[in-house]
Amino acid sequence: MTFRQTVEALAEHFRLAVAQKDGAACASIYSDNAIKVNPGGQVVEGRDAIGFSFQELFDTGEFIVTGIDVRDCRCDGGIGFAMLRMNTIEQPFYVMLGLERNGRGDWSIAQEVIGG
C-alpha cells in the first residue's frame, strides 16, 4: 500500500467513526502521545484525551463530515505529513497532519493542526 493509500484509509476510518459519533474510534488512528491543536488554539495531548474531546463534540453538537480530500502527502522513512480538506455540512476546513510509523510498520497521527 502506498503512503497516499494509507492516508486515504486513515481518512475513511475517521469519516466512518464520525458518522457513528464514536470518539474512541476517531482517536484510534492517533499515536499514544499525539498532539492536536484545535482551531481556537486549544491543545489536546494524548490519544485518550483526543478521544474524549471528539466524544464531547459529538455529545454537545453536530459534526458531520461529508468527505475528506487528501490534498498532498509525502513521507520519508518513518515520518510523513498530509494536508487534508475536511468537508462538512457547514463549511470545509483544512487539517495538517504529522504522521509516524511504528516498529510494525503501521502509521498513526502524531500531530494535527486544524485551520480555516
Side-chain angles (χ1 to χ4, degrees):
M1 181 180 292
T2 67
F3 181 66
R4 182 176 202 69
Q5 290 168 326
T6 298
V7 171
E8 290 169 344
L10 290 170
E12 180 63 7
H13 173 93
F14 179 80
R15 188 190 67 74
L16 293 172
V18 168
Q20 296 171 2
K21 299 186 183 309
D22 185 340
C26 288
S28 70
I29 60 174
Y30 291 79
S31 63
D32 288 339
N33 58 348
I35 299 171
K36 180 176 183 274
V37 182
N38 290 323
Q42 175 198 21
V43 176
V44 183
E45 296 187 48
R47 180 188 297 140
D48 292 340
I50 290 169
F52 179 79
S53 71
F54 277 120
Q55 197 60 55
E56 199 171 49
L57 174 66
F58 300 145
D59 292 345
T60 61
E62 188 167 284
F63 179 58
I64 298 174
V65 175
T66 58
I68 302 173
D69 301 322
V70 178
R71 303 302 289 241
D72 192 12
C73 63
R74 299 175 197 184
C75 71
D76 187 10
I79 60 170
F81 78 86
M83 174 66 77
L84 309 178
R85 180 179 178 195
M86 191 81 57
N87 301 303
T88 69
I89 60 170
E90 293 179 6
Q91 67 181 22
F93 58 90
Y94 287 86
V95 178
M96 183 69 170
L97 302 176
L99 296 105
E100 63 185 4
R101 186 170 21 196
N102 64 24
R104 295 183 313 273
D106 299 322
W107 288 94
S108 62
I109 299 168
Q111 300 91 23
E112 176 178 5
V113 178
I114 301 171

